[in-house]
């Protein structure tokens, strides 16, 4: 049950991550209050596992959810929790009937009397606060009539116990004003005394093995306190040291069953090694997921290689953390043999040499040994998703003779050995994108398929032959840069759809269809398709025909190909085939492990800087624009002999004339970052980037400064001193040149970034084309391209990024203060609405005669020039739009909230709004329907605004910046 009230951004993130859990045995009960069901229904889509229930308030949601949730276990969580793929499936096998469990958190009420702390479950901190049997859940909600007790093995309950931006509880101590929930680092230290008291009382109430288990659980829960030790005063640190010593003494010889991170933190605290603990905690935060560390296998044990003053035995990675994991990928019938391909890995260990693997099918007391063949594939390393370890040698093919098959549900057991290490376990996952998840196969009079449930996988053998659907897709392959498809004879139309595009296939003379993997998206030329997921669409006489792949097609899935334009995957998606396009990176450039290897190689580059090599980056490389484009075009005009590189996310991004593309995460990208003498960027560079001596970096930013930034954001977020230092290291200490639109803005960068480098207050190059001759020609061309009629006015709606709606640092829900349908109806046929989401907002794909989603349109200046008016909120776009001297309406119903508790401003927002401030769609429509009056009422405001803020936007900013920053290249 997900309580649909409170913070909508957190709610959306949790429900989305729950929906991504592959098990059909999960029930998601959404209990809505305070109007929260609407968002939940939208996010849930057509997921049949989701049910909805209304409640009056938080307490009602809690009680109703506990009572109505079905299943053997109920999982209690809180909005804001994220669930990695297969998280719940991984947890289920560890649960014991009748237990009421605390995972790695604290219950913020009195809690059940029969609470059991399971330290071995501390590896599931993302799974929320409490797991309890359904009967116990009903007892906790005794005031609500009991519900039917049927069916679902697991009910997920994310209760309205409070919305938090961290996985740790919000302590109830009175600590002053309510924090900014979306940004604040939760400091658990004020609750330490309560935590210590609860732990000691719990220990006193138990003895023997149960007491030891309680101590281990308390050590797991102590982790956030220890990670915050940097902020502790002397008395608090002493309390942490003493409590760690008490718990470690109680846990004694069972410490290996505790996860490595909380164990190391506790041991350092107990040894009174505060500086070392703070340094280790920083590495945990920096490292992806905080858990994967370099290891070595010695004497049959996995030991972490950490730079901490602890004995080797303290660094043993327990079996629960270095466990065997296995996922079925492909299931194929090859004559009289059923072949099952499995990816196998042991967490936190290298697997580069072929392991010895024994396998068997098990059904009760019956066991059937399998023939095993091992192989290698870099895809295993990508699947394991670890930063420090290679797992290429993790392909295991199991062969089962059809004559040996017997009806029943057969689990797959594996014994693995390599390098002196041994592990055993079950195949617990099935790749949803591979043939292992296919429909039942007809095998020797049986129906055979893999079934995943309760975190286990079984080969289900049933009597009877399954009915097969007639195939409409008999062949699909990549030929050069095109897809070649053989469809059923009665298919007369084939499209590839995705990313808001529909690419029509060409009919071939040999009976196949050819799909070009390219399109002209915005009328600016044919380009390779952008990265994303695509689906085939078949039609016959204008009616949709299901895309049903033949068995020979499914056999090969998933499969991967690479051209000079794309990295293409063919994937099973339900009962059809999906196409995934990505950047054409090489095998050893894809995945988190490859990235970490390349970062290490980057750090070792010592070649001299190249004076002719210039690096340009705009945002994450998904487009060409902003200040770097204007600066680069001016530099290319003057020095065509330079080696100019433009960062691109994939092949769909056209580089400017005179530039060469530089593919993000390619080996060449790392090399250029290390050797380029000059770098021009409008976003922060990667956290691992270090400016070499002699490198010149120009930070142009990408918007006029007006909102809180830098230290003005980090300090209110309650970041620790070391965390603020890390932010400064990544930002202002990396730059040595900084562009501002006006000298009056320099003070804010000096203050909020503690910046003491060179500042170039030369105006914004991006805006040159907004004021130069020729802008009317651009306006006419863009309007024609978008289908805006000469008699129509265009309204640009561009809401800004909302920190309080963010689900991670590059994703957020778009605000919906403007009711697009209401605005369109109110304005009528004489207006066209251009919807421009922030670069981190997902596009809606809307295209029509009166509403066009231009979120992914490549050039914002085109949209500014095409528009006759704009509806904005807190976006810095208002400073740019003012240059075309057209009216703006500011839709800001949440101004007070945004100012006080969301983001805040450098100065009074109202001083920077040369137009009316309104609170509703109706008010927006009223202002725009009186268009001439709107223009006349605020003409003087626009003139004054430009005089104050846009004094240097004269069409020559790019020239000035090139003169200043590239002076050494122009001499």
């Amino acid at each position: 049950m997900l309580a649909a009230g409170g913070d909508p951004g957190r709610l959306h993130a949790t429900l989305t991550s729950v929906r991504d859990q592959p098990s059909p045995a999960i029930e998601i009960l959404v209990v809505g209050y305070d109007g929260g069901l609407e968002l939940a229904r939208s996010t849930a889509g057509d997921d049949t596992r989701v049910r909805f229930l209304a409640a009056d308030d938080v307490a009602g949601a809690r009680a109703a959810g506990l009572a109505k949730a079905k299943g053997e276990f109920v999982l209690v969580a809180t909005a804001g929790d994220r669930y990695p793929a297969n998280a719940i499936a991984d947890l289920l096998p560890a649960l014991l009937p009748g237990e009421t469990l605390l995972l790695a958190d604290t219950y913020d009420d009195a809690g059940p009397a029969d609470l059991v702390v399971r330290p071995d479950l501390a590896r599931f901190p993302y799974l929320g606060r409490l797991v309890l049997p359904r009967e116990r859940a009903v007892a906790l909600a005794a005031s609500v009539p009991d519900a039917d007790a049927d069916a679902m093995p697991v009910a997920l309950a994310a209760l309205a116990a409070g919305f938090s931006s961290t996985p740790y509880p919000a302590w109830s101590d009175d600590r002053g004003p309510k924090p900014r929930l979306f940004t604040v680092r939760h400091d658990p230290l004020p609750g330490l005394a309560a935590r210590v008291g609860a732990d000691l009382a719990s220990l006193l109430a138990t003895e023997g093995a149960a007491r030891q288990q309680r101590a281990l659980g308390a050590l797991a829960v102590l982790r956030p306190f220890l990670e915050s030790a940097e902020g502790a005063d002397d008395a608090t640190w002493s309390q942490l040291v003493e409590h760690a010593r008490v718990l470690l003494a109680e846990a004694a010889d069972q410490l290996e069953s505790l996860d490595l991170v909380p164990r190391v933190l506790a041991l350092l605290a107990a040894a009174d090694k505060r500086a070392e603990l703070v340094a280790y905690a920083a590495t945990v935060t920096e490292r992806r997921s905080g858990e994967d560390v370099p290891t070595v296998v010695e004497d049959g044990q996995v030991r972490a290689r950490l730079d901490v003053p602890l004995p080797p035995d303290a660094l043993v990675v327990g079996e629960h953390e270095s466990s065997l994991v296995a996922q079925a990928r492909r299931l194929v019938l090859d004559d009289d043999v059923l072949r099952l391909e499995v990816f196998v890995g042991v967490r936190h260990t290298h697997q580069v040499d072929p392991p010895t693997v024994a396998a068997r099918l098990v059904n009760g007391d019956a066991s059937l040994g399998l023939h095993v063949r091992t192989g290698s594939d870099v895809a295993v390393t990508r699947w394991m998703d670890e930063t420090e370890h290679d797992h290429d040698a993790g392909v295991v093919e199991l062969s089962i003779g059809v004559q040996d098959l017997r009806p029943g549900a057969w689990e797959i057991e594996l014994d693995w050995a390599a390098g002196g290490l041994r592990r055993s376990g079950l195949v617990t996952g099935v790749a949803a994108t591979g043939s292992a998840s296919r429909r039942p196969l007809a095998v020797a009079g049986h129906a055979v398929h893999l079934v995943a449930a309760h975190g286990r996988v079984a080969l289900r053998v049933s009597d009877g032959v399954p009915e097969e659907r007639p195939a409409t897709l008999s062949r699909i392959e990549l030929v050069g840069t095109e897809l070649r498809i053989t469809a059923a004879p009665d298919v007369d139309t084939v499209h590839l759809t995705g990313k808001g595009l529909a690419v029509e296939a060409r009919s071939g003379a040999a009976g196949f269809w050819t799909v070009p993997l390219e399109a002209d998206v915005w009328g600016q030329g044919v380009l390779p398709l952008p990265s994303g997921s695509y689906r085939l669409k078949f039609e016959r006489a204008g009616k949709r025909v299901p895309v049903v792949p033949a068995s020979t097609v499914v056999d090969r899935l998933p499969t991967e190909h690479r051209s000079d334009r794309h990295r293409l995957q063919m994937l099973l998606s339900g009962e059809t085939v999906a196409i995934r396009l990505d950047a054409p990176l090489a095998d050893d450039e894809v995945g988190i492990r490859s990235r970490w290897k390349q970062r290490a190689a980057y750090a070792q580059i010592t070649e001299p800087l190249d004076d002719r090599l210039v690096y340009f980056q705009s945002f994450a490389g998904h487009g060409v624009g902003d200040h770097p484009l204007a600066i680069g075009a001016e530099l290319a005009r003057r020095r065509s002999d330079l080696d100019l590189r433009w960062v691109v996310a994939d092949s769909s991004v056209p580089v400017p004339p005179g530039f060469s593309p530089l593919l993000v995460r390619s080996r060449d990208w790392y090399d250029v970052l290390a050797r380029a003498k000059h770098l021009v960027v409008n976003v922060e560079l990667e956290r691992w980037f270090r400016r070499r001596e002699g490198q010149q970096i120009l930070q142009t930013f990408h918007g006029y400064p007006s909102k809180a930034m830098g230290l003005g954001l980090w300090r209110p977020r309650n970041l620790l001193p070391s965390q603020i230092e890390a932010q400064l290291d990544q930002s202002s200490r990396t730059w040595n040149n900084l562009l501002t639109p006006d000298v009056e803005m320099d003070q804010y960068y000096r203050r909020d970034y503690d910046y003491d480098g060179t500042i170039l207050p030369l105006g914004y190059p991006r805006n040159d084309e907004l004021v130069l001759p020729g802008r009317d020609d651009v306006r006419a061309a863009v309007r024609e391209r978008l289908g805006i009629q000469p008699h129509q006015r265009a309204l640009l709606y561009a809401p800004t990024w909302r920190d309080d709606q963010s689900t991670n640092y590059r994703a957020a829900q778009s605000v919906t203060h403007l009711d697009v349908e209401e605005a369109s109806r109110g304005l009528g046929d004489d207006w066209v609405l251009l919807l421009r989401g922030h670069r981190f907002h997902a596009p809606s794909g809307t295209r029509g005669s009166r509403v066009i989603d231009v979120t992914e349109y490549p050039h914002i200046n085109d949209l500014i020039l095409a528009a006759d008016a704009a509806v904005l909120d807190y976006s810095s776009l208002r400073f740019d739009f003012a240059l075309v001297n057209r009216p703006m309406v500011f839709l800001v119903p949440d101004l007070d909230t945004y100012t006080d508790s969301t983001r805040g401003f450098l100065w009074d927002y109202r001083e920077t709004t040369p137009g009316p401030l309104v609170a509703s769609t109706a008010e927006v429509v009223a202002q725009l329907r009186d268009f001439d009056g709107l223009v006349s009422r605020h003409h003087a405001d626009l003139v004054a605004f430009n005089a104050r803020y846009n004094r240097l936007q004269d069409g020559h900013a790019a020239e000035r910046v090139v003169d200043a920053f590239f002076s050494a290249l122009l001499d």
Side-chain angles (χ1 to χ4, degrees), residues 393-605:
V395 179
V396 175
E397 184 185 88
L398 309 177
S399 298
I400 310 163
V402 297
Q403 72 279 359
D404 296 326
L405 291 175
R406 298 291 182 271
W410 298 82
E411 292 185 330
I412 307 159
E413 290 185 349
L414 302 173
D415 295 326
W416 179 99
L421 188 68
R422 295 181 179 275
R423 290 290 184 266
S424 296
L426 295 170
V427 175
T428 58
V430 177
T433 59
S435 59
S437 63
R438 70 194 308 162
R439 287 168 54 87
L441 282 165
V443 182
H446 298 297
V448 179
H449 68 298
L450 289 168
V451 178
H454 301 281
R456 296 167 181 257
V457 171
L459 184 72
R460 177 71 56 81
V461 182
S462 307
D463 287 327
V465 178
E467 181 181 351
E468 290 194 24
R469 299 175 67 193
T472 58
L473 173 65
S474 57
R475 187 177 181 86
I476 179 171
E477 59 185 338
L478 181 68
V479 179
T481 59
E482 299 178 323
L483 274 182
R484 184 170 293 178
I485 293 165
T486 304
D490 59 352
V491 170
D492 57 32
T493 305
V494 174
H495 284 93
L496 186 67
T497 63
K499 302 289 287 183
L501 305 172
V503 181
E504 186 171 358
R506 300 188 299 267
S507 179
F512 57 79
W513 298 81
T514 299
V515 184
L517 299 179
E518 59 187 19
D520 185 353
V521 181
W522 292 105
Q524 296 180 306
V526 175
L527 295 167
L529 294 180
S531 296
S533 296
Y534 296 81
R535 288 184 177 273
L536 290 170
K537 180 180 177 182
F538 290 178
E539 291 183 354
R540 178 180 59 242
K543 294 184 178 181
R544 191 82 171 261
V545 177
V547 180
V548 181
S551 183
T552 53
V553 173
V554 177
D555 285 350
R556 300 169 54 222
L557 303 179
T559 186
E560 193 167 21
H561 309 271
R562 180 173 174 250
S563 71
D564 59 353
R565 291 182 164 193
H566 294 109
R567 191 175 190 91
L568 181 147
Q569 298 177 73
M570 299 178 194
L571 309 168
L572 190 62
S573 178
E575 296 184 16
T576 188
V577 175
I579 306 298
R580 173 73 203 183
L581 299 180
D582 287 297
L585 294 169
D587 282 350
D588 61 355
E589 296 172 338
V590 179
I592 186 65
R593 174 62 174 151
S594 294
R595 294 200 291 273
W596 277 62
K597 284 183 176 180
Q598 293 200 92
R599 292 174 194 178
Y602 157 84
Q604 301 301 314
I605 293 177

Side-chain angles (χ1 to χ4, degrees), residues 342-361:
V342 180
F343 278 6
V344 181
V346 173
R347 299 170 63 217
H348 308 308
T349 65
H350 279 298
Q351 187 174 242
V352 293
D353 296 321
T356 299
V357 179
R360 58 199 162 271
L361 295 180

Side-chain angles (χ1 to χ4, degrees), residues 165-492:
S165 60
T166 73
Y168 306 118
W171 295 93
S172 58
D173 304 70
D174 183 8
R175 288 177 284 150
K178 181 180 178 181
R180 298 176 182 175
L181 292 180
F182 73 97
T183 58
V184 171
R185 178 194 68 88
H186 172 65
D187 183 5
L189 292 177
L192 179 60
R195 179 73 265 156
V196 171
D199 288 346
L200 295 179
S202 176
L203 291 175
L204 288 174
T206 56
E207 58 185 25
R211 183 184 180 104
Q212 196 171 54
Q213 292 295 303
R214 290 275 174 110
L216 286 167
L219 284 167
V221 175
L222 194 62
R223 173 176 173 172
F225 299 90
L226 295 170
E227 288 178 331
S228 300
E230 179 184 354
D233 57 27
D234 290 344
T236 303
W237 170 249
S238 297
Q239 191 174 30
L240 276 172
V241 171
E242 180 59 28
H243 195 48
R245 288 172 176 170
V246 169
L247 296 178
L248 287 168
E250 293 285 353
D253 59 347
Q254 295 297 313
L255 277 181
E256 191 177 313
S257 65
L258 183 65
D259 279 5
L260 180 70
V261 172
R263 187 196 325 151
V264 170
L265 290 168
L267 288 168
L268 290 173
D272 200 14
K273 301 286 187 181
R274 185 172 184 177
E276 291 84 351
L277 184 152
V278 170
Y280 174 66
T283 66
V284 169
T285 301
E286 177 69 19
R287 189 176 299 276
R288 181 181 181 269
S289 301
E291 309 303 323
D292 193 29
V293 295
T295 62
V296 62
V297 176
E298 296 176 339
D299 302 325
Q301 291 183 315
V302 180
R303 284 191 173 87
R305 293 188 288 113
L306 299 175
D307 185 19
V308 291
L310 294 174
D313 287 347
L315 303 181
V316 171
V317 181
E319 283 199 32
H320 70 281
E321 284 193 282
S322 58
S323 58
L324 181 142
V325 289
Q327 181 190 69
R329 300 278 286 183
R330 295 185 177 94
L331 179 65
V332 178
L333 180 61
D334 183 6
D335 292 330
D336 292 331
V337 177
L338 199 62
R339 303 193 189 279
L340 176 63
E341 182 187 84
V342 180
F343 278 6
V344 181
V346 173
R347 299 170 63 217
H348 308 308
T349 65
H350 279 298
Q351 187 174 242
V352 293
D353 296 321
T356 299
V357 179
R360 58 199 162 271
L361 295 180
V362 177
N363 183 358
D365 294 333
S367 178
L368 174 64
L370 303 177
H371 179 268
V372 177
R373 184 172 66 179
T374 59
S376 182
D377 191 334
V378 68
V380 185
T381 296
R382 296 203 297 267
W383 167 70
M384 286 294 289
D385 202 36
E386 291 187 333
T387 57
E388 299 289 346
H389 299 95
D390 295 305
H391 299 273
D392 292 9
V395 179
V396 175
E397 184 185 88
L398 309 177
S399 298
I400 310 163
V402 297
Q403 72 279 359
D404 296 326
L405 291 175
R406 298 291 182 271
W410 298 82
E411 292 185 330
I412 307 159
E413 290 185 349
L414 302 173
D415 295 326
W416 179 99
L421 188 68
R422 295 181 179 275
R423 290 290 184 266
S424 296
L426 295 170
V427 175
T428 58
V430 177
T433 59
S435 59
S437 63
R438 70 194 308 162
R439 287 168 54 87
L441 282 165
V443 182
H446 298 297
V448 179
H449 68 298
L450 289 168
V451 178
H454 301 281
R456 296 167 181 257
V457 171
L459 184 72
R460 177 71 56 81
V461 182
S462 307
D463 287 327
V465 178
E467 181 181 351
E468 290 194 24
R469 299 175 67 193
T472 58
L473 173 65
S474 57
R475 187 177 181 86
I476 179 171
E477 59 185 338
L478 181 68
V479 179
T481 59
E482 299 178 323
L483 274 182
R484 184 170 293 178
I485 293 165
T486 304
D490 59 352
V491 170
D492 57 32

Side-chain angles (χ1 to χ4, degrees), residues 760-803:
L760 306 177
L762 303 176
Y764 276 166
R766 179 183 70 198
N767 291 336
D768 287 352
E769 62 182 338
L770 295 179
V771 299
L772 287 174
R775 65 179 185 174
D776 290 341
D777 293 337
V778 174
R779 170 181 165 85
V782 174
R783 287 170 65 90
E784 181 179 2
R785 190 179 302 136
L786 296 176
I788 303 170
Q789 301 300 313
H791 72 278
Q792 290 180 311
R793 287 185 173 128
L795 174 64
L796 176 61
Y797 176 46
T800 191
W801 161 266
R802 301 298 181 99
D803 305 72

Side-chain angles (χ1 to χ4, degrees), residues 781-963:
V782 174
R783 287 170 65 90
E784 181 179 2
R785 190 179 302 136
L786 296 176
I788 303 170
Q789 301 300 313
H791 72 278
Q792 290 180 311
R793 287 185 173 128
L795 174 64
L796 176 61
Y797 176 46
T800 191
W801 161 266
R802 301 298 181 99
D803 305 72
D804 59 331
Q805 301 294 312
S806 62
T807 54
N808 63 55
Y809 77 104
R810 282 185 176 173
Q813 288 293 290
S814 181
V815 297
T816 54
H817 292 151
L818 184 71
D819 186 317
V820 174
E821 292 185 3
E822 179 185 341
S824 182
R825 287 194 304 268
L827 293 173
D829 294 338
D830 290 338
W831 283 85
V832 174
L833 274 67
L834 306 177
L835 307 183
R836 177 73 169 189
H838 188 275
R839 63 192 175 96
F840 295 151
H841 292 151
S844 68
T846 303
R847 296 290 290 270
S849 60
R850 285 166 46 184
V851 178
I852 306 174
D853 187 328
V854 291
T855 299
E856 294 194 336
Y857 187 90
H859 302 296
I860 185 62
N861 280 358
D862 283 2
L863 302 177
I864 292 174
L865 291 172
D868 297 279
V871 174
L872 306 174
D873 50 14
Y874 313 113
S875 171
S876 62
L877 191 63
R878 62 191 185 277
F879 293 91
D880 311 303
F881 198 87
L883 291 168
V884 297
N885 293 302
R886 298 188 186 116
M888 292 176 274
V889 178
F890 297 94
L891 179 57
V892 288
D894 59 343
L895 176 57
D896 291 341
T897 301
Y898 192 91
T899 302
D900 297 336
S901 60
T902 297
R903 177 72 180 263
F905 301 96
L906 297 176
W907 61 88
D908 189 352
Y909 167 77
R910 292 174 177 83
E911 294 180 12
T912 65
T913 53
L917 276 61
V918 301
S920 68
T921 299
E923 292 177 88
V924 169
V925 171
Q927 291 284 342
L928 294 171
R929 285 178 67 86
D930 181 21
F931 186 79
D932 293 339
L934 177 64
V935 171
S936 62
R937 285 192 299 274
H938 296 282
H939 174 71
D941 296 333
L942 271 173
V943 172
F945 181 89
N946 282 325
R948 178 175 180 182
Y949 296 109
N950 287 328
R951 293 178 296 180
L952 294 177
Q953 314 309 320
D954 57 2
H956 301 286
E959 299 171 20
R960 292 191 292 268
V961 172
V962 169
D963 285 340

Side-chain angles (χ1 to χ4, degrees), residues 183-187 230-231 710-711 713-728:
T183 58
V184 171
R185 178 194 68 88
H186 172 65
D187 183 5
E230 179 184 354
L711 295 169
L713 279 178
W714 305 330
R715 285 170 176 160
R717 290 179 183 181
N718 198 30
L719 295 187
L720 294 167
S722 63
Q723 293 172 328
I724 290 179
E725 289 299 304
Q727 294 279 4
L728 291 171

